[in-house]
Amino acid sequence: MVLLNNTITSAALPDMQKRLDTTLTGLQWIVNAYVLAVAMLLLAGGVFADRFGGKRVFLGGMAVFTLASLACCLSASVGWLLAARILQGIGAAALSPASLALLASGYPAPGDRVKAIGQWATFSGIGLAVGPAAGGLLVQAFDWRAIFLINIPIGVVTLIVGARTLPDRRNPEAPPLDVPGQVLALLVVGTLAFGLTEAGDKGWTAPLILSCFAASVVLLVLFLVVEARSARPMLPLRLFRLRLFTVSNAAMIVVGFGLMGSGFFFTQFFATVQGHSVLRSAMETLPCTLAMVVCSPYAARIAARFGFRSVVTVGLVLAGAGLVTMAAVHTDTPYLNVWWRLAVTGVGFGLTMSPLTGAAISSVSVQEGGLASGISSTTRQIGAVFGVAVLGAIVRTRQEHGASYSSGLNTAFLTAGVVTLVSAVFTGLWLVRQQAPAAVVPQSVPTAAPRPEGEPVLTDRS
């Protein structure tokens, strides 16, 4: 449900723009309202799952997600839809880490736990892959509201079955949430995302936009000071002294930026630029998501053999090259000359995410593996927020200077590709372990996505 909600929404964006009479900025906020809430509350969801029990947090998140989906269906304006999307993000931020906490406690045997988490990842991949096709079918048969309606029966059944069958366990020693750090992190990313998203409409030098950028810098400094002085920070800054941890998370931001930022425009290219139906446009984006789903399960195994640096660098090169070639498509480009560009992009990103998470986990002590995993997921989501905001602002800026929408998309794809290729150089040079992870007592309890005992750890052979 959490990942399906990303890709299925992208398929419905052209219909939303038409029926809600909104602009590109409105579409960006429809996507980013959800992604931003997930990004900023994911670590908090893990802490709550530890402290109050995976069952309570999971069912609570499911209830919020289901009710928010109903609110999305009933929304008559962009404003109401944005509020409902934020609620969906809050529910998703509780669902995802709590589901892993339940698996970790429900399968104490290391081998069984690894298999269970593997199946969890498989279902997540299915949700990611079927999103475009399901979204296209539902929008074609009904309208954009149908993409949220399908969550309601799934949520109701899960709540009924989960309330009867899920175990209720909690960690009484779990620390409280780092409220100051959480609030400041939300303000930093939210303020910067607002400035980047609105810059295309209001102008990059508008007083409001410059004020947002300045406020983001001040809030970031304040966040770093608070986290450095906190006894139990949500983001232990000492982890960034480890090169492997820092570089892997920086690269994960780029992955979120390139993947979500460009993916925001894939369906719109086919629907708006080439004039295809919503269903056909959604189906035409499948090479990217299917390539990711196929490659992702093998990426970790390949990285275990050839090293993080080699696999991630190759993946970023492929993804960047695919996006750069997308910058050459236009109104009359036949699909036979487009699908392979999407496939190359999907293969590239599919090769990067698992190894980058593995690199982050392997750079820290065993006790902090769950925390590292949660931070890696959060950085990818933050990159997604900035990708949609920045690339959307680029498209609007190009249009304001007289360029066509198609030319604006070409510039956005080129920007995403160049950023991804630069990141490939970055990882090729520095994605190596600088020092062994310090054996210290963690200052922050891992999120509810711990690395199972006995699970094989990827080693960096670079």
Side-chain angles (χ1 to χ4, degrees):
M1 289 177 69
V2 171
L3 291 182
L4 176 69
N5 206 46
N6 275 328
T7 53
I8 201 172
T9 304
S10 297
L13 289 176
D15 190 61
M16 289 179 174
Q17 186 171 24
K18 177 182 177 181
R19 295 180 184 273
L20 292 173
D21 191 25
T22 186
T23 62
L24 180 61
T25 302
L27 296 182
Q28 287 179 274
W29 281 120
I30 290 171
V31 172
N32 269 349
Y34 175 79
V35 179
L36 182 61
V38 175
M40 291 295 91
L41 299 175
L42 195 61
L43 291 176
V47 173
F48 279 123
D50 285 341
R51 188 171 181 83
F52 301 108
K55 178 178 181 177
R56 292 186 179 184
V57 175
F58 179 82
L59 294 180
M62 180 63 73
V64 171
F65 192 95
T66 304
L67 290 174
S69 297
L70 178 60
C72 287
C73 297
L74 300 177
S75 298
S77 66
V78 173
W80 283 107
L81 181 57
L82 292 182
R85 290 284 284 166
I86 292 173
L87 287 177
Q88 269 195 320
I90 294 172
L95 277 176
S96 186
S99 64
L100 282 171
L102 289 168
L103 288 181
S105 62
Y107 294 89
D112 292 339
R113 194 184 303 176
V114 171
K115 293 178 182 178
I117 293 178
Q119 292 177 356
W120 179 92
T122 298
F123 276 100
S124 298
I126 291 173
L128 187 69
V130 303
L137 286 169
L138 289 169
V139 173
Q140 188 82 3
F142 306 100
D143 61 24
W144 63 266
R145 290 177 173 82
I147 68 171
F148 300 112
L149 191 63
I150 64 172
N151 292 326
I152 298 173
I154 299 174
V156 170
V157 171
T158 304
L159 285 169
I160 294 173
V161 177
R164 296 178 178 179
T165 62
L166 291 176
D168 189 10
R169 301 186 182 96
R170 69 184 72 178
N171 179 10
E173 299 179 359
L177 178 67
D178 176 16
V179 176
Q182 180 68 70
V183 172
L184 285 171
L186 179 60
L187 290 175
V188 170
V189 179
T191 303
L192 184 55
F194 178 85
L196 292 171
T197 302
E198 296 293 331
D201 282 342
K202 295 180 170 56
W204 292 92
T205 58
L208 176 62
I209 302 304
L210 293 178
S211 298
C212 286
F213 294 156
S216 299
V217 174
V218 174
L219 289 168
L220 176 60
V221 172
L222 186 58
F223 170 76
L224 295 176
V225 171
V226 169
E227 292 301 278
R229 295 182 177 181
S230 175
R232 296 181 180 273
M234 62 174 289
L235 183 64
L237 300 182
R238 58 181 171 75
L239 295 180
F240 291 95
R241 298 172 187 169
L242 304 170
R243 177 187 294 177
L244 191 59
F245 181 85
T246 302
V247 176
S248 62
N249 279 286
M252 191 65 92
I253 291 177
V254 174
V255 169
F257 180 95
L259 176 60
M260 193 70 180
S262 59
F264 176 79
F265 290 109
F266 286 159
T267 303
Q268 295 183 66
F269 166 75
F270 292 116
T272 304
V273 176
Q274 295 199 327
H276 299 168
S277 68
V278 173
L279 176 58
R280 178 178 174 182
S281 299
M283 298 297 289
E284 286 174 328
T285 66
L286 281 176
C288 182
T289 53
L290 289 178
M292 286 179 55
V293 171
V294 171
C295 292
S296 292
Y298 301 100
R301 302 176 191 176
I302 298 173
R305 181 173 181 179
F306 297 102
F308 297 128
R309 179 168 60 177
S310 301
V311 177
V312 171
T313 301
V314 169
L316 290 173
V317 168
L318 289 174
L323 291 174
V324 168
T325 61
M326 281 295 296
V329 299
H330 49 79
T331 304
D332 299 323
T333 304
Y335 186 68
L336 288 176
N337 200 21
V338 177
W339 73 268
W340 62 267
R341 306 169 197 252
L342 296 172
V344 170
T345 302
V347 169
F349 283 127
L351 289 174
T352 59
M353 286 186 283
S354 294
L356 284 175
T357 302
I361 292 174
S362 296
S363 66
V364 302
S365 61
V366 175
Q367 297 93 332
E368 293 176 311
L371 176 63
S373 176
I375 292 174
S376 182
S377 297
T378 300
T379 54
R380 185 180 71 250
Q381 297 284 356
I382 291 174
V385 172
F386 291 154
V388 173
V390 172
L391 298 186
I394 288 173
V395 172
R396 292 196 309 278
T397 301
R398 290 276 286 129
Q399 287 182 291
E400 289 179 357
H401 287 80
S404 65
Y405 185 66
S406 177
S407 297
L409 292 187
N410 292 150
T411 304
F413 290 141
L414 180 61
T415 302
V418 170
V419 170
T420 305
L421 289 174
V422 170
S423 178
V425 176
F426 182 69
T427 57
L429 292 174
W430 293 309
L431 192 64
V432 293
R433 189 188 300 278
Q434 188 174 26
Q435 63 188 75
V440 297
V441 177
Q443 293 181 327
S444 178
V445 171
T447 64
R451 172 148 45 86
E453 297 178 9
E455 180 179 347
V457 179
L458 299 179
T459 57
D460 181 23
R461 301 188 183 185
S462 301

